[in-house]
């Protein structure tokens, strides 16, 4: 029988070039480059592939390699990368328009690498790259393989870790997206930036002075998004005439202290300084289309804040964090829907005149609160309680806050430094009303507990504040550890009794928890992995049983 020869056909290589480029997009840069040896067709596909992604993993070598051997290998690899890019240029008569060029690596501690990077960047610019990302960040702790003799040159090494961005990048008319990390960006006086089509600009850990950063923005007339984080060298930013910009985000910039902006179309502005390096000033009253504002670490004062908010007719979301100069805050905005205030510890009074406010989050000290937020549907309160000499004053202040908002909030959170700071004396329970008679969830955070700490005592105090709460969660620190104890309650019905046993104390509008608790479920979790889950207890005598369980847990820990 005569055998039939089956001719092998490479159907994949005959696919259209855009489809083959799409196939390469699923491979990393090393694997994509290796396809050029498969056939002449694949070599052409690789040479015209519009994405170059050079990342730090390409330079990985075993840790036991000696420093000089490691360095020579990296130089050879960079040299081969440069030749590969040169070959792409040589084999294509017309420069291929490049969609994306990424270079993310951590090898710039040696200045011999900088010329290679310059050539790669130059190639991408000549190829009319649209998206350019250059990130050369280094972790200062990754120097274990360095010689002891180099300790005297630490300052010089740190300086060398900043890549000096070539001037040609700031004049690349093809660029639409530019992302820079660990670069040094300096402009000689008289030099101009010409990024005519740039839409997105991201700067992270960039060294840039006032002249350069303001010149940079003036040369990006079509910019839509600006993100600047952990940069240094500049103190102020002036943004004028940028008609397309929509989103501005700045965070943890070391020397920054002022923003002046007149941008009619910007809708989101976030300036966050979590490290609290220094307070900053803002002037954005002419940004009339702002819908979202986030300010953390701003030096804004009460009058300036009120004026700013009242002039922003489209404002929907406002976040104020660690604003140290706010004391008596008045917020008046018919359009505001979400309000969050956190760690503004000098605030003693808060007045909210926002009838359409739906979500309110407060995290800070106890304050005097007044609101007409009729549309509120969700509130998250976390009060950091301080100890008063007059315990009645403490309780009245807390009750005033909780009474105003308990009907909107699913959860009320309180935070104290020590367990002794949370204490409701028995005499107050007999004379004052319970502020949270219909609360759903009560959470208490205690940073540090004393040797006499009792879960039962804390639960008893919480139930005097919220006698019919469905859940109590108590998180507390102890002897370097951390524990969370939660209680889920079920009650007898009706919860309001008639007759002599209507309540424990005549001043209470509803029955005391001691008369209506039917069952509770207890869960304990801690860092010692001694957990008690799903333990059910009956009746009002559960407080004694709780202390017993906690004592048992302590005994297990000591064992």
């Amino acid at each position: 029988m005569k055998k039939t020869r089956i001719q092998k056909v490479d159907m994949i290589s005959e696919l259209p070039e855009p489809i083959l480029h799409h196939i390469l997009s699923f491979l990393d840069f090393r694997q994509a480059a290796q396809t050029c040896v498969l056939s002449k067709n694949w070599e052409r596909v690789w040479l015209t592939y519009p994405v170059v992604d050079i990342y730090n993993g390409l330079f990985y070598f075993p840790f036991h390699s000696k420093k000089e051997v490691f360095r020579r290998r990296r130089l050879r690899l960079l040299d081969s990368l440069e030749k590969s890019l040169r070959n792409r240029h040589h084999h294509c008569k017309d420069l291929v328009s490049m969609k994306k060029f990424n270079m993310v690596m951590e090898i710039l501690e040696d200045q011999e690498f900088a010329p290679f990077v310059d050539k790669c960047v130059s190639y991408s610019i000549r190829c009319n790259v649209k998206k350019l990302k250059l990130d050369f960040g280094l972790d200062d702790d990754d120097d274990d393989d360095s010689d002891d003799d180099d300790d005297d040159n630490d300052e010089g090494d740190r300086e060398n870790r900043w890549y000096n961005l070539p001037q040609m990048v700031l004049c690349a008319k093809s660029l639409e997206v530019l992302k820079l990390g660990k670069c040094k960006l300096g402009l000689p006086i008289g030099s101009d930036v010409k990024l005519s089509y740039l839409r997105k600009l991201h700067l992270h850990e960039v060294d840039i002075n006032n002249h350069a950063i303001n010149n940079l923005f003036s040369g990006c007339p079509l910019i839509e998004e600006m993100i600047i984080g952990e940069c240094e060298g500049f103190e102020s930013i002036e943004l004028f005439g940028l008609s397309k910009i929509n989103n501005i985000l700045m965070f943890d910039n070391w020397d920054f202290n002022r923003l002046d902006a007149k941008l009619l179309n910007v809708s989101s502005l976030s300036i966050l300084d979590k490290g609290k390096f220094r307070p900053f000033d803002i002037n954005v009253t002419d940004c009339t289309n702002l819908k979202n504002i986030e300010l953390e670490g701003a030096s804004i004062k009460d009058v300036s804040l009120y004026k700013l908010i009242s002039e922003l007719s489209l404002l929907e979301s406002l976040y104020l964090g660690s604003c140290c100069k706010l004391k008596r805050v008045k917020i008046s905005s018919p359009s505001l829907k979400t309000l969050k205030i956190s760690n503004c510890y000098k605030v003693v009074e808060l007045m909210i005149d926002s009838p359409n406010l739906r979500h309110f989050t407060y995290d800070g000290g106890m304050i005097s609160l007044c609101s007409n937020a009729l549309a509120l549907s969700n509130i998250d309160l976390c009060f950091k309680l301080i100890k008063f000499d007059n315990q009645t004053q403490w309780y009245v202040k807390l009750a005033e806050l909780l009474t105003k908002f308990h009907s909107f909030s699913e959860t009320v959170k309180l935070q104290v430094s020590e367990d002794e700071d949370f204490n409701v004396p028995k005499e107050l329970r007999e004379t004052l009303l319970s502020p949270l008679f219909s609360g759903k969830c009560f959470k208490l955070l205690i940073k540090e507990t004393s040797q006499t700490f009792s879960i039962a005592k804390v639960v008893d105090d919480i139930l005097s504040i919220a006698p019919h709460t469905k859940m109590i969660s108590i998180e507390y620190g102890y002897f370097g550890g951390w524990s969370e104890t939660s209680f889920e309650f079920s009650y007898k019905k009706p919860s309001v009794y008639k007759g002599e046993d209507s309540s424990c104390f005549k001043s209470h509008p509803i029955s005391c928890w001691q008369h209506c608790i039917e069952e509770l479920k207890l869960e304990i979790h801690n860092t010692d992995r001694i957990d008690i889950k799903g333990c059910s207890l009956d009746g009002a005598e559960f407080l004694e049983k709780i202390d017993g369980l906690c004592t048992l847990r302590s005994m297990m820990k000591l064992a």
Side-chain angles (χ1 to χ4, degrees), residues 185 187 193 201 203 206 208-219 226 228 231-239 250 253 256:
L185 199 160
L187 282 174
V193 176
L201 175 65
L203 304 179
V206 171
I208 181 171
N209 58 38
N210 283 339
H211 165 72
I213 198 165
N214 288 299
N215 198 334
L216 179 62
F217 296 126
S218 64
M226 179 187 86
I228 305 176
C231 295
E232 59 182 88
F234 73 95
E235 297 181 352
S236 62
I237 294 181
E238 297 179 356
L239 301 174
M250 301 176 62
N253 295 295
F256 169 74

PDB file of all heavy atoms in Angstrom, residues 185 187 193 201 203 206 208-219 226 228 231-239 250 253 256:
ATOM      1  N   LEU A 185      14.029  65.854  36.158  1.00  0.00           N
ATOM      2  CA  LEU A 185      13.511  66.630  35.044  1.00  0.00           C
ATOM      3  C   LEU A 185      13.881  68.090  35.263  1.00  0.00           C
ATOM      4  O   LEU A 185      13.322  68.771  36.116  1.00  0.00           O
ATOM      5  CB  LEU A 185      11.988  66.463  34.956  1.00  0.00           C
ATOM      6  CG  LEU A 185      11.300  66.807  33.647  1.00  0.00           C
ATOM      7  CD1 LEU A 185       9.946  66.124  33.593  1.00  0.00           C
ATOM      8  CD2 LEU A 185      11.109  68.297  33.497  1.00  0.00           C
ATOM      9  N   LEU A 187      14.736  71.874  33.280  1.00  0.00           N
ATOM     10  CA  LEU A 187      14.627  72.666  32.052  1.00  0.00           C
ATOM     11  C   LEU A 187      15.477  73.916  32.184  1.00  0.00           C
ATOM     12  O   LEU A 187      15.306  74.688  33.134  1.00  0.00           O
ATOM     13  CB  LEU A 187      13.173  73.073  31.806  1.00  0.00           C
ATOM     14  CG  LEU A 187      12.234  72.003  31.229  1.00  0.00           C
ATOM     15  CD1 LEU A 187      10.825  72.556  31.197  1.00  0.00           C
ATOM     16  CD2 LEU A 187      12.669  71.594  29.845  1.00  0.00           C
ATOM     17  N   VAL A 193       8.417  73.402  26.772  1.00  0.00           N
ATOM     18  CA  VAL A 193       7.866  72.062  26.596  1.00  0.00           C
ATOM     19  C   VAL A 193       6.849  72.113  25.465  1.00  0.00           C
ATOM     20  O   VAL A 193       6.028  73.027  25.398  1.00  0.00           O
ATOM     21  CB  VAL A 193       7.205  71.575  27.900  1.00  0.00           C
ATOM     22  CG1 VAL A 193       6.537  70.223  27.683  1.00  0.00           C
ATOM     23  CG2 VAL A 193       8.228  71.494  29.012  1.00  0.00           C
ATOM     24  N   LEU A 201      -0.511  62.600  32.170  1.00  0.00           N
ATOM     25  CA  LEU A 201       0.835  62.801  32.696  1.00  0.00           C
ATOM     26  C   LEU A 201       0.888  62.254  34.123  1.00  0.00           C
ATOM     27  O   LEU A 201       0.137  62.693  34.986  1.00  0.00           O
ATOM     28  CB  LEU A 201       1.200  64.286  32.702  1.00  0.00           C
ATOM     29  CG  LEU A 201       2.551  64.637  33.335  1.00  0.00           C
ATOM     30  CD1 LEU A 201       3.699  64.051  32.521  1.00  0.00           C
ATOM     31  CD2 LEU A 201       2.705  66.151  33.467  1.00  0.00           C
ATOM     32  N   LEU A 203       3.650  61.518  37.208  1.00  0.00           N
ATOM     33  CA  LEU A 203       4.991  61.711  37.749  1.00  0.00           C
ATOM     34  C   LEU A 203       5.049  61.072  39.131  1.00  0.00           C
ATOM     35  O   LEU A 203       4.262  61.419  40.016  1.00  0.00           O
ATOM     36  CB  LEU A 203       5.322  63.203  37.862  1.00  0.00           C
ATOM     37  CG  LEU A 203       5.220  64.055  36.596  1.00  0.00           C
ATOM     38  CD1 LEU A 203       5.568  65.503  36.904  1.00  0.00           C
ATOM     39  CD2 LEU A 203       6.114  63.515  35.491  1.00  0.00           C
ATOM     40  N   VAL A 206       9.738  61.977  41.093  1.00  0.00           N
ATOM     41  CA  VAL A 206      10.456  62.774  40.100  1.00  0.00           C
ATOM     42  C   VAL A 206      11.012  64.020  40.768  1.00  0.00           C
ATOM     43  O   VAL A 206      10.335  64.671  41.565  1.00  0.00           O
ATOM     44  CB  VAL A 206       9.518  63.152  38.928  1.00  0.00           C
ATOM     45  CG1 VAL A 206      10.193  64.155  38.000  1.00  0.00           C
ATOM     46  CG2 VAL A 206       9.111  61.907  38.155  1.00  0.00           C
ATOM     47  N   ILE A 208      11.877  67.665  40.265  1.00  0.00           N
ATOM     48  CA  ILE A 208      11.516  68.711  39.310  1.00  0.00           C
ATOM     49  C   ILE A 208      11.333  70.024  40.059  1.00  0.00           C
ATOM     50  O   ILE A 208      10.704  70.070  41.116  1.00  0.00           O
ATOM     51  CB  ILE A 208      10.229  68.315  38.537  1.00  0.00           C
ATOM     52  CG1 ILE A 208       9.852  69.392  37.520  1.00  0.00           C
ATOM     53  CG2 ILE A 208       9.090  68.019  39.478  1.00  0.00           C
ATOM     54  CD1 ILE A 208       8.728  68.951  36.577  1.00  0.00           C
ATOM     55  N   ASN A 209      11.883  71.119  39.526  1.00  0.00           N
ATOM     56  CA  ASN A 209      11.790  72.406  40.209  1.00  0.00           C
ATOM     57  C   ASN A 209      10.553  73.191  39.771  1.00  0.00           C
ATOM     58  O   ASN A 209       9.813  72.767  38.873  1.00  0.00           O
ATOM     59  CB  ASN A 209      13.062  73.237  39.991  1.00  0.00           C
ATOM     60  CG  ASN A 209      13.342  73.471  38.510  1.00  0.00           C
ATOM     61  OD1 ASN A 209      12.431  73.678  37.713  1.00  0.00           O
ATOM     62  ND2 ASN A 209      14.621  73.436  38.134  1.00  0.00           N
ATOM     63  N   ASN A 210      10.332  74.351  40.401  1.00  0.00           N
ATOM     64  CA  ASN A 210       9.136  75.155  40.119  1.00  0.00           C
ATOM     65  C   ASN A 210       9.064  75.571  38.653  1.00  0.00           C
ATOM     66  O   ASN A 210       8.014  75.492  38.017  1.00  0.00           O
ATOM     67  CB  ASN A 210       9.108  76.401  41.008  1.00  0.00           C
ATOM     68  CG  ASN A 210       8.674  76.089  42.425  1.00  0.00           C
ATOM     69  OD1 ASN A 210       8.043  75.066  42.671  1.00  0.00           O
ATOM     70  ND2 ASN A 210       9.022  76.958  43.352  1.00  0.00           N
ATOM     71  N   HIS A 211      10.181  76.050  38.116  1.00  0.00           N
ATOM     72  CA  HIS A 211      10.197  76.498  36.720  1.00  0.00           C
ATOM     73  C   HIS A 211       9.842  75.361  35.777  1.00  0.00           C
ATOM     74  O   HIS A 211       9.021  75.517  34.861  1.00  0.00           O
ATOM     75  CB  HIS A 211      11.578  77.048  36.360  1.00  0.00           C
ATOM     76  CG  HIS A 211      11.803  77.201  34.888  1.00  0.00           C
ATOM     77  ND1 HIS A 211      11.181  78.176  34.131  1.00  0.00           N
ATOM     78  CD2 HIS A 211      12.586  76.482  34.019  1.00  0.00           C
ATOM     79  CE1 HIS A 211      11.557  78.055  32.866  1.00  0.00           C
ATOM     80  NE2 HIS A 211      12.407  77.040  32.769  1.00  0.00           N
ATOM     81  N   ALA A 212      10.417  74.183  36.015  1.00  0.00           N
ATOM     82  CA  ALA A 212      10.195  73.056  35.116  1.00  0.00           C
ATOM     83  C   ALA A 212       8.757  72.559  35.180  1.00  0.00           C
ATOM     84  O   ALA A 212       8.146  72.271  34.145  1.00  0.00           O
ATOM     85  CB  ALA A 212      11.164  71.930  35.449  1.00  0.00           C
ATOM     86  N   ILE A 213       8.186  72.466  36.382  1.00  0.00           N
ATOM     87  CA  ILE A 213       6.853  71.879  36.479  1.00  0.00           C
ATOM     88  C   ILE A 213       5.791  72.805  35.905  1.00  0.00           C
ATOM     89  O   ILE A 213       4.849  72.356  35.244  1.00  0.00           O
ATOM     90  CB  ILE A 213       6.528  71.488  37.939  1.00  0.00           C
ATOM     91  CG1 ILE A 213       5.371  70.489  37.950  1.00  0.00           C
ATOM     92  CG2 ILE A 213       6.190  72.703  38.800  1.00  0.00           C
ATOM     93  CD1 ILE A 213       5.187  69.774  39.259  1.00  0.00           C
ATOM     94  N   ASN A 214       5.927  74.100  36.106  1.00  0.00           N
ATOM     95  CA  ASN A 214       4.946  75.016  35.533  1.00  0.00           C
ATOM     96  C   ASN A 214       5.116  75.151  34.024  1.00  0.00           C
ATOM     97  O   ASN A 214       4.132  75.299  33.288  1.00  0.00           O
ATOM     98  CB  ASN A 214       5.054  76.386  36.215  1.00  0.00           C
ATOM     99  CG  ASN A 214       4.529  76.367  37.638  1.00  0.00           C
ATOM    100  OD1 ASN A 214       3.361  76.085  37.874  1.00  0.00           O
ATOM    101  ND2 ASN A 214       5.396  76.658  38.607  1.00  0.00           N
ATOM    102  N   ASN A 215       6.350  75.090  33.540  1.00  0.00           N
ATOM    103  CA  ASN A 215       6.598  75.080  32.101  1.00  0.00           C
ATOM    104  C   ASN A 215       6.048  73.804  31.477  1.00  0.00           C
ATOM    105  O   ASN A 215       5.533  73.808  30.363  1.00  0.00           O
ATOM    106  CB  ASN A 215       8.101  75.183  31.840  1.00  0.00           C
ATOM    107  CG  ASN A 215       8.407  75.615  30.421  1.00  0.00           C
ATOM    108  OD1 ASN A 215       7.620  75.391  29.508  1.00  0.00           O
ATOM    109  ND2 ASN A 215       9.563  76.218  30.230  1.00  0.00           N
ATOM    110  N   LEU A 216       6.141  72.709  32.218  1.00  0.00           N
ATOM    111  CA  LEU A 216       5.639  71.428  31.725  1.00  0.00           C
ATOM    112  C   LEU A 216       4.148  71.494  31.444  1.00  0.00           C
ATOM    113  O   LEU A 216       3.677  71.079  30.379  1.00  0.00           O
ATOM    114  CB  LEU A 216       5.944  70.339  32.766  1.00  0.00           C
ATOM    115  CG  LEU A 216       5.469  68.919  32.448  1.00  0.00           C
ATOM    116  CD1 LEU A 216       6.128  68.390  31.188  1.00  0.00           C
ATOM    117  CD2 LEU A 216       5.767  67.997  33.632  1.00  0.00           C
ATOM    118  N   PHE A 217       3.382  72.026  32.383  1.00  0.00           N
ATOM    119  CA  PHE A 217       1.931  72.062  32.197  1.00  0.00           C
ATOM    120  C   PHE A 217       1.517  73.074  31.128  1.00  0.00           C
ATOM    121  O   PHE A 217       0.545  72.854  30.398  1.00  0.00           O
ATOM    122  CB  PHE A 217       1.238  72.372  33.523  1.00  0.00           C
ATOM    123  CG  PHE A 217       1.450  71.299  34.547  1.00  0.00           C
ATOM    124  CD1 PHE A 217       1.951  71.600  35.800  1.00  0.00           C
ATOM    125  CD2 PHE A 217       1.176  69.975  34.254  1.00  0.00           C
ATOM    126  CE1 PHE A 217       2.159  70.611  36.740  1.00  0.00           C
ATOM    127  CE2 PHE A 217       1.383  68.978  35.182  1.00  0.00           C
ATOM    128  CZ  PHE A 217       1.880  69.296  36.424  1.00  0.00           C
ATOM    129  N   SER A 218       2.240  74.163  31.035  1.00  0.00           N
ATOM    130  CA  SER A 218       1.901  75.154  30.014  1.00  0.00           C
ATOM    131  C   SER A 218       2.146  74.619  28.610  1.00  0.00           C
ATOM    132  O   SER A 218       1.569  75.119  27.643  1.00  0.00           O
ATOM    133  CB  SER A 218       2.719  76.435  30.236  1.00  0.00           C
ATOM    134  OG  SER A 218       4.109  76.179  30.065  1.00  0.00           O
ATOM    135  N   GLY A 219       2.992  73.577  28.493  1.00  0.00           N
ATOM    136  CA  GLY A 219       3.272  72.988  27.184  1.00  0.00           C
ATOM    137  C   GLY A 219       2.417  71.791  26.863  1.00  0.00           C
ATOM    138  O   GLY A 219       2.684  71.076  25.891  1.00  0.00           O
ATOM    139  N   MET A 226      -3.789  64.400  35.360  1.00  0.00           N
ATOM    140  CA  MET A 226      -2.488  64.723  35.945  1.00  0.00           C
ATOM    141  C   MET A 226      -2.367  64.035  37.297  1.00  0.00           C
ATOM    142  O   MET A 226      -3.212  64.222  38.179  1.00  0.00           O
ATOM    143  CB  MET A 226      -2.364  66.236  36.111  1.00  0.00           C
ATOM    144  CG  MET A 226      -1.062  66.690  36.725  1.00  0.00           C
ATOM    145  SD  MET A 226      -1.088  68.469  37.056  1.00  0.00           S
ATOM    146  CE  MET A 226      -1.866  68.502  38.665  1.00  0.00           C
ATOM    147  N   ILE A 228       0.582  63.396  40.307  1.00  0.00           N
ATOM    148  CA  ILE A 228       1.920  63.728  40.800  1.00  0.00           C
ATOM    149  C   ILE A 228       2.048  63.174  42.208  1.00  0.00           C
ATOM    150  O   ILE A 228       1.320  63.587  43.116  1.00  0.00           O
ATOM    151  CB  ILE A 228       2.161  65.246  40.810  1.00  0.00           C
ATOM    152  CG1 ILE A 228       1.902  65.843  39.427  1.00  0.00           C
ATOM    153  CG2 ILE A 228       3.571  65.562  41.259  1.00  0.00           C
ATOM    154  CD1 ILE A 228       2.033  67.344  39.385  1.00  0.00           C
ATOM    155  N   CYS A 231       6.939  63.416  44.699  1.00  0.00           N
ATOM    156  CA  CYS A 231       7.947  64.182  43.963  1.00  0.00           C
ATOM    157  C   CYS A 231       8.560  65.235  44.883  1.00  0.00           C
ATOM    158  O   CYS A 231       7.989  65.590  45.914  1.00  0.00           O
ATOM    159  CB  CYS A 231       7.321  64.846  42.731  1.00  0.00           C
ATOM    160  SG  CYS A 231       6.721  63.655  41.497  1.00  0.00           S
ATOM    161  N   GLU A 232       9.702  65.751  44.480  1.00  0.00           N
ATOM    162  CA  GLU A 232      10.370  66.761  45.283  1.00  0.00           C
ATOM    163  C   GLU A 232      10.992  67.825  44.390  1.00  0.00           C
ATOM    164  O   GLU A 232      11.166  67.629  43.188  1.00  0.00           O
ATOM    165  CB  GLU A 232      11.438  66.124  46.167  1.00  0.00           C
ATOM    166  CG  GLU A 232      12.512  65.365  45.424  1.00  0.00           C
ATOM    167  CD  GLU A 232      13.507  64.711  46.370  1.00  0.00           C
ATOM    168  OE1 GLU A 232      13.272  63.578  46.805  1.00  0.00           O
ATOM    169  OE2 GLU A 232      14.528  65.369  46.672  1.00  0.00           O
ATOM    170  N   GLY A 233      11.295  68.958  44.995  1.00  0.00           N
ATOM    171  CA  GLY A 233      11.956  70.028  44.259  1.00  0.00           C
ATOM    172  C   GLY A 233      11.046  71.189  43.940  1.00  0.00           C
ATOM    173  O   GLY A 233      11.512  72.315  43.787  1.00  0.00           O
ATOM    174  N   PHE A 234       9.740  70.972  43.832  1.00  0.00           N
ATOM    175  CA  PHE A 234       8.828  72.070  43.504  1.00  0.00           C
ATOM    176  C   PHE A 234       7.977  72.414  44.722  1.00  0.00           C
ATOM    177  O   PHE A 234       7.637  71.546  45.526  1.00  0.00           O
ATOM    178  CB  PHE A 234       7.941  71.705  42.312  1.00  0.00           C
ATOM    179  CG  PHE A 234       6.858  70.709  42.629  1.00  0.00           C
ATOM    180  CD1 PHE A 234       5.578  71.128  42.956  1.00  0.00           C
ATOM    181  CD2 PHE A 234       7.110  69.338  42.596  1.00  0.00           C
ATOM    182  CE1 PHE A 234       4.581  70.221  43.254  1.00  0.00           C
ATOM    183  CE2 PHE A 234       6.123  68.426  42.882  1.00  0.00           C
ATOM    184  CZ  PHE A 234       4.857  68.866  43.212  1.00  0.00           C
ATOM    185  N   GLU A 235       7.623  73.686  44.849  1.00  0.00           N
ATOM    186  CA  GLU A 235       6.841  74.157  45.986  1.00  0.00           C
ATOM    187  C   GLU A 235       5.423  74.555  45.598  1.00  0.00           C
ATOM    188  O   GLU A 235       4.510  74.452  46.420  1.00  0.00           O
ATOM    189  CB  GLU A 235       7.542  75.338  46.656  1.00  0.00           C
ATOM    190  CG  GLU A 235       8.903  74.980  47.251  1.00  0.00           C
ATOM    191  CD  GLU A 235       9.557  76.173  47.917  1.00  0.00           C
ATOM    192  OE1 GLU A 235       9.020  77.298  47.769  1.00  0.00           O
ATOM    193  OE2 GLU A 235      10.591  75.998  48.580  1.00  0.00           O
ATOM    194  N   SER A 236       5.243  75.039  44.394  1.00  0.00           N
ATOM    195  CA  SER A 236       3.914  75.514  44.001  1.00  0.00           C
ATOM    196  C   SER A 236       3.626  75.150  42.553  1.00  0.00           C
ATOM    197  O   SER A 236       4.543  74.935  41.761  1.00  0.00           O
ATOM    198  CB  SER A 236       3.803  77.035  44.189  1.00  0.00           C
ATOM    199  OG  SER A 236       4.748  77.698  43.355  1.00  0.00           O
ATOM    200  N   ILE A 237       2.332  75.074  42.239  1.00  0.00           N
ATOM    201  CA  ILE A 237       1.888  74.775  40.876  1.00  0.00           C
ATOM    202  C   ILE A 237       0.840  75.804  40.472  1.00  0.00           C
ATOM    203  O   ILE A 237      -0.073  76.123  41.246  1.00  0.00           O
ATOM    204  CB  ILE A 237       1.285  73.355  40.779  1.00  0.00           C
ATOM    205  CG1 ILE A 237       2.364  72.295  41.024  1.00  0.00           C
ATOM    206  CG2 ILE A 237       0.654  73.122  39.426  1.00  0.00           C
ATOM    207  CD1 ILE A 237       1.846  70.873  40.929  1.00  0.00           C
ATOM    208  N   GLU A 238       0.973  76.317  39.256  1.00  0.00           N
ATOM    209  CA  GLU A 238      -0.016  77.235  38.694  1.00  0.00           C
ATOM    210  C   GLU A 238      -0.600  76.590  37.441  1.00  0.00           C
ATOM    211  O   GLU A 238       0.129  76.244  36.511  1.00  0.00           O
ATOM    212  CB  GLU A 238       0.635  78.575  38.350  1.00  0.00           C
ATOM    213  CG  GLU A 238       1.198  79.309  39.565  1.00  0.00           C
ATOM    214  CD  GLU A 238       1.857  80.626  39.186  1.00  0.00           C
ATOM    215  OE1 GLU A 238       1.926  80.908  37.961  1.00  0.00           O
ATOM    216  OE2 GLU A 238       2.296  81.351  40.087  1.00  0.00           O
ATOM    217  N   LEU A 239      -1.901  76.418  37.436  1.00  0.00           N
ATOM    218  CA  LEU A 239      -2.591  75.766  36.316  1.00  0.00           C
ATOM    219  C   LEU A 239      -3.634  76.726  35.753  1.00  0.00           C
ATOM    220  O   LEU A 239      -4.640  77.011  36.403  1.00  0.00           O
ATOM    221  CB  LEU A 239      -3.264  74.469  36.788  1.00  0.00           C
ATOM    222  CG  LEU A 239      -2.338  73.406  37.401  1.00  0.00           C
ATOM    223  CD1 LEU A 239      -3.159  72.242  37.943  1.00  0.00           C
ATOM    224  CD2 LEU A 239      -1.338  72.910  36.370  1.00  0.00           C
ATOM    225  N   MET A 250      -2.761  64.598  43.453  1.00  0.00           N
ATOM    226  CA  MET A 250      -1.429  64.856  44.005  1.00  0.00           C
ATOM    227  C   MET A 250      -1.360  64.207  45.378  1.00  0.00           C
ATOM    228  O   MET A 250      -2.293  64.329  46.172  1.00  0.00           O
ATOM    229  CB  MET A 250      -1.170  66.362  44.105  1.00  0.00           C
ATOM    230  CG  MET A 250      -1.256  67.098  42.784  1.00  0.00           C
ATOM    231  SD  MET A 250      -1.041  68.895  42.983  1.00  0.00           S
ATOM    232  CE  MET A 250       0.623  68.956  43.650  1.00  0.00           C
ATOM    233  N   ASN A 253       3.809  64.892  48.172  1.00  0.00           N
ATOM    234  CA  ASN A 253       4.906  65.605  47.521  1.00  0.00           C
ATOM    235  C   ASN A 253       5.663  66.413  48.570  1.00  0.00           C
ATOM    236  O   ASN A 253       5.091  67.255  49.261  1.00  0.00           O
ATOM    237  CB  ASN A 253       4.348  66.510  46.413  1.00  0.00           C
ATOM    238  CG  ASN A 253       3.711  65.705  45.301  1.00  0.00           C
ATOM    239  OD1 ASN A 253       4.373  64.959  44.601  1.00  0.00           O
ATOM    240  ND2 ASN A 253       2.396  65.835  45.150  1.00  0.00           N
ATOM    241  N   PHE A 256       5.850  70.503  48.333  1.00  0.00           N
ATOM    242  CA  PHE A 256       4.675  71.207  47.822  1.00  0.00           C
ATOM    243  C   PHE A 256       3.948  71.949  48.939  1.00  0.00           C
ATOM    244  O   PHE A 256       3.723  71.415  50.027  1.00  0.00           O
ATOM    245  CB  PHE A 256       3.730  70.200  47.168  1.00  0.00           C
ATOM    246  CG  PHE A 256       2.381  70.757  46.830  1.00  0.00           C
ATOM    247  CD1 PHE A 256       2.226  71.616  45.755  1.00  0.00           C
ATOM    248  CD2 PHE A 256       1.272  70.433  47.598  1.00  0.00           C
ATOM    249  CE1 PHE A 256       0.979  72.131  45.446  1.00  0.00           C
ATOM    250  CE2 PHE A 256       0.029  70.938  47.297  1.00  0.00           C
ATOM    251  CZ  PHE A 256      -0.116  71.796  46.211  1.00  0.00           C
TER     252      PHE A 256
END
